[in-house]
Amino acid sequence: MSWQAVIGLEIHAQLATRSKLFSGASAAYGAEPNTQAAAIDVGLPGTLPVVNDEAVRLAVTLGLAIGARIAPVSVFARKNYFYPDLPKGYQISQYERPVVADGMLAVRLDDDRVIEVRIERAHLEEDAGKSLHDAFSTQTGIDLNRAGVPLLEIVSAPVLHSPAEAVAYLRTMHRLVRWLGICDGNMQEGSFRCDANVSVRRSPQAPLGTRAEIKNVNSFRFVEKAIAYEIERQIRVLESGEAVVQETRLYDAAQDRTRSMRSKESADDYRYFPDPDLPPLAIPPELVASVRASLPELPEARRRRYVEALGLPAQDADQLCADRDTSDYFEAVLAALPGEAKLCANWVLGELAAALNTLGLPIARSPLAPADLALLLRRLREGVISGKQAKDVFAAMIAGEGDADAVIAARGLVQISDEGALLAAIDQVIAAHPAQAAQVRAGQDKVLGFLVGQVMKATGGKANPQRLNALLRTRLDGSGADLPSAS
Amino acid sequence: MSDALDQGLRACVKAAREDGQDVLAAEARRRAAAHGDLNAFIGLDTRTRARAAGAAPLSGVPFAQKDNFCTAGLRTTCASRMLGGFVPPYESAVGERLSAAGAVSIGKTNLDEFAMGSSNETSHYGPVRNPWDLTRVPGGSSGGSAAAVAAGIVPFATGSDTGGSVRQPAAFCGVTGLKPTYGRVSRWGLIAYASSLDCPGVLARSAEDCARVLGVIAGHDPRDATSAARPVEDYLAALDAPLAGLRIGVARPYFGAGVQAGVGAAVQAALAEYERLGARLVEIDLPHAHLAIPAYYVIAPAEASSNLARYDGVRFGHRCAHPRSLEDLYTRSRAEGFGAEVRRRILIGTFALSAGYYDAYYLSAQKARRLIASDFDAAFAQVDLIAGPTAPTTAFALGEKRADPLAMAAADVNTVAVNLAGLPALSIPAGLHAGLPVGLQLIAPAFAEARLLAAAHRFQQATDWHRRRPGDRP
């Protein structure tokens, strides 16, 4: 009997605003506990929330990037429940009328298949604080720095059917929110979190099974493993004739299993109702138009352009579009060196990526600006330096020895491409080695290499190899290949 | 000199200018102490204050604040044990604006706990007594403010009006009470009862004094998302608008069976006075008026159940001794910190919002609210103001209705619809019945405070009911 898994993901992306969703307090991560909690965040009596326009703008940005409907009017609602790190006794969220609805995200799987994942909604809500159980022996500490931090909850339809699909979707959304600059995507700090709703059914035509919700899994790998475990568990339960219980489960990474956290039978009744402190959130068409106008080229579109217009191999395009900084860097190098997409891609993904990896730096903090790399590649293309020399120059540039021209000059690396100088050296070598010259003339091409080596030796290795080869042939048989162009 | 306190704001401003800024406040504090039997104050305001410019509109004028307006560095209790130790780090927008205008806060007035009540009997600090008759209630929930103004302690006081909490005590205590349009005055720093209904208001001697104070406290506040951005009118300059041609709507439902005969008679006499002054009375229909009380007693508790969830014993407010568990901390802190009426409304509101009941209660109430608002829209197509008794009775006896929440609710029957529709309204003294004040309520379209205040002012120029004092012999 074959089972079908049905998976929907709820992603909580922390929006990259300076201040909180409803107060002016800083939303930065990592401050001393309770130093970034304003009176509003603490829920002191008499305080009132005022919505952060920047958070709204970021929500609209995601909505447009996934082709969703932006609600002209959406409503903030209160989700009521008691918990020590929820200061007001309710969370301000959106319920019946979210700001973003009905989007679509194309997700490319490892086998290059593309699935379209429907996004049911994305809504704005405030985060809760943090309970610190470990710091105190018998008491619980409450840190309200996170309380009120803006989140965008992105809810996919239950259209994913394997752990691999779920993770591919999660990665694609992760890339998108970072690409758009609306979320830093840091999973360790909880800026990008995921709950997974998982159920199984006996066939794709069968009604949906009872689902379990796996809470707060904080890495791609664990999401995949948690879902895989949960699917197997549910199949096991059903095949043994029992029923899956609708409940919330936690993933225990150490034991690689999920375990029950609370059953929905004692489910909280959140008593949602529209927040009377906040008028309906109106999003004027002008705001939508302005966000649309400032939307960057999206990763999938860019990837397609790299393959179709620039002729890059799919693998290069994938790697370049893995994140916006890499792609933007490549774009900048290419802009300075039009028509050399493959060369630029090779260096960005090769030498540069390796060097940054060694240095432990992200590309956004690369010691080489795109213009620096472009200059080096230009000199390589012009034949000023050889490919091998270019790598040395690159290393020197990374080490801070100056730009390409400065390194080339300082090391005396300029190739001898000048015809007169090369011919003078060639003629001397031919005169010194008449036997070998005669062998080449007689058609023994292997010996050509010996003569090239001698010229190289005579020029201290600076002879432009392509030109040298061509000139040597011309000299020896008068019918050598055309001279390579210098540009 | 100290007589200025009895003569209204213009006299007070003049006296303060001539005799010094501290004189009136000192006299007001003396009077507050002398009237201790009223139990009108929960605490006195002893904070030192920055001095406003001499030319500020209320320089040196003492006032009292209902104790649900946050005062920076000064205990703010909402008359609840829950907030017995709460010292806010910020001042309410209303308090800020009044201080900036030179007014001197002398104390925090008693109220029904969390402003939930119509008699001031639910206060943790004991009931306020009506200066006209110490055996009677002052009305509520702004009973302390109404009593303080009626007793001549302060020339004006702030109040909050969620279902009539400024107007009904104003009527019971024989003072003028203004509830502005929802959004006209910022709620920042006003501790919430029911956010969509709560409205800061003013209790004073006259419509003119209300106009003077409203001019100071009205205006947009970016800290309150429900605050209106429209410009503030010059209410004082508009006071002398003539009554000739003014159409006053008289709604049958406001003169229903529960209205005391003496109250009805006093109000009819006041309406006759309006006719004499040139206004035209027009009978109007408010077909959904009967839905106001049921809708209010769903919406207000629903919002309250959520607004009061923050009092959980974790961060501020009352915390029970030696909690054994989180559940125990919540349960006992809230059970000990809240009085019976607050607990009752939280339970009602929680029920009304619960899954399975939401549509039947909360949604139905919202529909009723829209019907009530459209009744007013239709009426204001025909008339400029709507008039009726503020409350169906004069002040009732302490304890008389305590055990009967439905009878208590009836005291708000004429006022709550105004909050549901977000309209401005005021109550002015319009007569006496058996030695107790009767209030006339005037209701205006949204943001027509200038019209409302002018109509009340004209009446007060022609009559002297607003000058009657407790202890005057009729």
Side-chain angles (χ1 to χ4, degrees):
Chain A
M1 173 133 318
S2 77
W3 293 85
Q4 185 192 40
V6 179
I7 304 157
L9 297 188
E10 292 171 13
I11 296 169
H12 286 91
Q14 179 179 328
L15 294 174
T17 57
R18 275 199 302 279
S19 59
K20 293 187 176 178
L21 185 51
F22 298 112
S23 87
S26 166
Y29 176 85
E32 283 296 300
N34 297 311
T35 55
Q36 291 182 172
I40 294 172
D41 310 317
V42 180
L44 287 189
T47 60
L48 294 168
V50 176
V51 70
N52 179 337
D53 291 339
E54 182 59 15
V56 174
R57 190 181 172 86
L58 298 184
V60 171
T61 304
L62 179 85
L64 293 180
I66 57 172
R69 267 187 302 117
I70 308 299
V73 176
S74 64
V75 172
F76 286 107
R78 293 185 183 178
K79 178 180 182 179
N80 294 284
Y81 64 97
F82 284 97
Y83 203 72
D85 60 24
L86 186 72
K88 296 185 293 292
Y90 58 84
Q91 176 194 30
I92 306 177
S93 180
Q94 297 193 302
Y95 187 54
E96 285 181 335
R97 295 168 75 182
V99 60
V100 169
D102 288 337
M104 190 71 84
L105 186 67
V107 175
R108 184 176 299 274
L109 305 176
D110 284 346
D111 60 8
D112 226 34
R113 225 163 21 95
V114 175
I115 54 171
E116 303 246 285
V117 178
R118 193 162 64 80
I119 314 296
E120 284 182 349
R121 58 186 281 157
H123 66 253
L124 285 162
E125 64 182 26
E126 57 178 346
D127 208 344
K130 229 187 288 186
S131 294
L132 307 166
H133 299 291
D134 302 333
F136 311 91
S137 57
T138 58
Q139 292 178 304
T140 297
I142 304 290
D143 177 6
L144 295 178
N145 284 351
R146 211 179 61 184
V149 160
L151 302 178
L152 191 63
E153 180 173 335
I154 307 161
V155 182
S156 84
V159 294
L160 302 160
H161 297 297
S162 70
E165 285 187 6
V167 168
Y169 160 70
L170 193 61
R171 283 186 187 280
T172 308
M173 187 59 84
H174 184 253
R175 174 179 69 173
L176 180 62
V177 296
R178 293 174 69 230
W179 190 279
L180 296 169
I182 68 174
C183 171
D184 69 17
N186 190 321
M187 296 175 92
Q188 263 63 52
E189 294 176 3
S191 304
F192 190 85
R193 318 196 280 269
C194 169
D195 303 336
N197 287 304
V198 177
S199 66
V200 298
R201 56 181 166 185
R202 292 201 178 255
S203 81
Q205 287 74 41
L208 288 175
T210 305
R211 68 170 195 268
E213 181 180 16
I214 311 170
K215 277 277 182 206
N216 267 339
V217 201
N218 65 356
S219 81
F220 294 117
R221 199 164 65 90
F222 289 160
V223 167
E224 189 158 10
K225 293 177 79 159
I227 292 174
Y229 175 87
E230 182 60 21
I231 291 170
E232 279 175 34
R233 184 190 71 86
Q234 290 187 12
I235 291 174
R236 219 164 41 233
V237 166
L238 293 170
E239 289 190 338
S240 72
E242 290 169 51
V244 171
V245 180
Q246 185 174 340
E247 62 182 352
T248 302
R249 299 180 70 86
L250 277 182
Y251 178 66
D252 180 340
Q255 299 189 44
D256 186 24
R257 57 188 293 266
T258 64
R259 59 185 160 81
S260 181
M261 188 165 100
R262 57 168 188 259
S263 149
K264 285 265 176 180
E265 282 164 290
S266 59
D268 304 299
D269 175 359
Y270 291 122
R271 290 174 280 121
Y272 280 101
F273 75 107
D275 191 326
D277 284 330
L278 292 161
L281 176 65
I283 296 181
E286 304 83 67
L287 173 61
V288 176
S290 121
V291 172
R292 199 186 293 281
S294 62
L295 216 55
E297 185 183 23
L298 297 178
E300 267 306 305
R302 200 170 258 193
R303 180 194 178 281
R304 201 174 322 119
R305 181 166 61 82
Y306 285 0
V307 173
E308 291 169 8
L310 300 183
L312 290 177
Q315 199 188 341
D316 285 8
D318 280 342
Q319 286 186 46
L320 287 172
C321 294
D323 69 85
R324 174 130 173 234
D325 288 340
T326 304
S327 173
D328 282 353
Y329 192 101
F330 166 76
E331 295 275 323
V333 179
L334 183 62
L337 214 59
E340 295 287 358
K342 183 60 183 145
L343 178 70
C344 294
N346 287 348
W347 279 77
V348 169
L349 297 173
E351 294 301 312
L352 181 66
L356 292 173
N357 192 33
T358 306
L359 293 171
L361 288 177
I363 196 163
R365 291 176 49 211
S366 164
L368 289 198
D372 296 333
L373 182 58
L375 179 64
L376 173 68
L377 299 185
R378 177 177 302 282
R379 294 296 176 253
L380 173 63
R381 261 301 174 252
E382 288 167 351
V384 175
I385 48 175
S386 67
K388 186 189 168 308
Q389 285 174 327
K391 292 186 179 180
D392 295 339
V393 175
F394 177 84
M397 289 165 70
I398 290 284
E401 292 178 25
D403 70 13
D405 284 347
V407 174
I408 290 166
R411 301 195 169 185
L413 287 179
V414 181
Q415 284 192 133
I416 301 171
S417 300
D418 175 72
E419 199 168 311
L422 285 175
L423 284 176
I426 287 168
D427 289 345
Q428 276 181 16
V429 167
I430 291 172
H433 303 281
Q436 285 82 354
Q439 285 174 314
V440 174
R441 286 198 183 97
Q444 294 189 41
D445 269 8
K446 285 183 292 184
V447 186
L448 186 67
F450 168 79
L451 293 178
V452 168
Q454 292 305 309
V455 179
M456 278 292 181
K457 199 169 159 189
T459 57
K462 293 180 191 170
N464 179 322
Q466 284 96 31
R467 297 211 136 215
L468 170 57
N469 263 303
L471 285 172
L472 195 55
R473 277 192 181 282
T474 317
R475 224 31 170 191
L476 292 174
D477 60 24
S479 63
D482 291 339
L483 293 186
S485 126
S487 60
Chain B
M1 154 206 87
S2 57
D3 293 351
L5 280 184
D6 302 312
Q7 290 161 16
L9 289 182
R10 208 164 7 163
C12 289
V13 170
K14 183 160 173 283
R17 193 161 51 230
E18 289 168 2
D19 305 325
Q21 295 228 348
D22 302 323
V23 178
L24 290 177
E27 171 63 8
R29 289 194 177 95
R30 197 192 62 72
R31 292 187 182 189
H35 284 288
D37 54 348
L38 295 176
N39 197 28
F41 286 85
I42 290 177
L44 294 180
D45 189 345
T46 52
R47 296 175 297 174
T48 52
R49 62 185 190 105
R51 194 137 308 194
L58 296 174
S59 262
V61 177
F63 76 105
Q65 314 194 49
K66 189 177 181 178
D67 202 24
N68 57 353
F69 285 90
C70 288
T71 39
L74 181 69
R75 194 171 73 129
T76 301
T77 68
C78 277
S80 179
R81 183 181 179 201
M82 183 58 84
L83 289 179
F86 178 58
V87 178
Y90 40 81
E91 189 80 8
S92 72
V94 167
E96 272 176 1
R97 285 176 182 247
L98 287 169
S99 293
V104 185
S105 163
I106 67 142
K108 307 294 293 287
T109 58
N110 203 346
L111 64 150
D112 281 298
E113 185 180 1
F114 278 101
M116 298 180 191
S118 310
S119 68
N120 227 298
E121 295 169 290
T122 70
S123 169
H124 176 65
Y125 298 92
V128 176
R129 291 165 186 278
N130 192 318
W132 292 78
D133 177 347
L134 296 181
T135 69
R136 290 180 182 272
V137 304
S141 64
S142 309
S145 289
V149 173
I153 298 169
V154 283
F156 79 93
T158 62
S160 63
D161 191 317
T162 306
S165 280
V166 162
R167 290 159 288 155
Q168 185 254 23
F172 280 14
C173 291
V175 301
T176 302
L178 170 69
K179 175 229 172 285
T181 310
Y182 185 82
R184 180 69 297 177
V185 178
S186 169
R187 293 185 295 120
W188 174 260
L190 169 65
I191 297 180
Y193 158 24
S195 313
S196 75
L197 303 163
D198 291 345
C199 188
V202 188
L203 297 106
R205 288 281 152 63
S206 64
E208 180 188 330
D209 285 0
C210 285
R212 215 174 273 275
V213 176
L214 181 63
V216 168
I217 64 175
H220 181 243
D221 180 356
R223 294 169 298 182
D224 175 1
T226 62
S227 145
R230 52 195 292 158
V232 176
E233 288 176 76
D234 186 340
Y235 303 113
L236 278 178
L239 281 180
D240 289 321
L243 284 176
L246 189 80
R247 298 164 300 168
I248 297 181
V250 181
R252 277 300 118 213
Y254 290 165
F255 294 86
V259 176
Q260 266 176 357
V263 169
V267 169
Q268 293 297 354
L271 292 175
E273 179 66 24
Y274 266 108
E275 273 192 300
R276 203 183 63 73
L277 292 169
R280 195 152 59 80
L281 301 185
V282 181
E283 224 174 273
I284 56 158
D285 197 17
L286 295 171
H288 301 97
H290 63 286
L291 297 177
I293 288 272
Y296 175 84
Y297 275 98
V298 170
I299 292 169
E303 292 182 11
S305 71
S306 176
N307 283 333
L308 273 62
R310 67 191 64 199
Y311 308 108
D312 56 6
V314 174
R315 293 160 307 280
F316 48 77
H318 177 73
R319 177 188 286 204
C320 67
H322 311 299
R324 290 180 301 275
S325 65
L326 183 59
E327 182 88 17
D328 185 46
L329 170 72
Y330 288 154
T331 312
R332 280 198 292 131
S333 297
R334 289 169 68 79
E336 294 166 7
F338 291 136
E341 180 65 20
V342 173
R343 291 203 302 270
R344 200 171 65 83
R345 293 196 195 194
I346 289 173
L347 288 173
I348 291 171
T350 303
F351 179 78
L353 289 174
S354 296
Y357 300 98
Y358 181 85
D359 290 5
Y361 292 100
Y362 186 79
L363 270 193
S364 303
Q366 292 293 359
K367 282 180 197 152
R369 184 176 189 169
R370 278 194 293 278
L371 293 173
I372 288 160
S374 34
D375 278 1
F376 279 117
D377 288 344
F380 283 124
Q382 308 168 49
V383 298
D384 302 304
L385 297 173
I386 295 171
T390 306
T393 68
T394 54
F396 46 86
L398 281 160
E400 185 183 327
K401 300 186 179 181
R402 262 207 99 164
D404 187 350
L406 288 180
M408 192 71 90
D412 304 326
V413 67
N414 291 352
T415 48
V416 295
V418 168
N419 298 78
L420 291 168
L423 302 177
L426 52 65
S427 175
I428 49 177
L432 291 171
H433 167 56
L436 292 171
V438 173
L440 171 74
Q441 174 173 241
L442 297 175
I443 307 167
F447 298 102
E449 279 87 353
R451 183 194 304 169
L452 183 67
L453 289 162
H457 177 65
R458 284 296 195 168
F459 180 84
Q460 292 183 333
Q461 285 190 313
T463 61
D464 72 344
W465 297 114
H466 63 295
R467 294 204 186 83
R468 303 293 179 92
R469 288 286 161 269
D472 288 352
R473 292 277 75 86

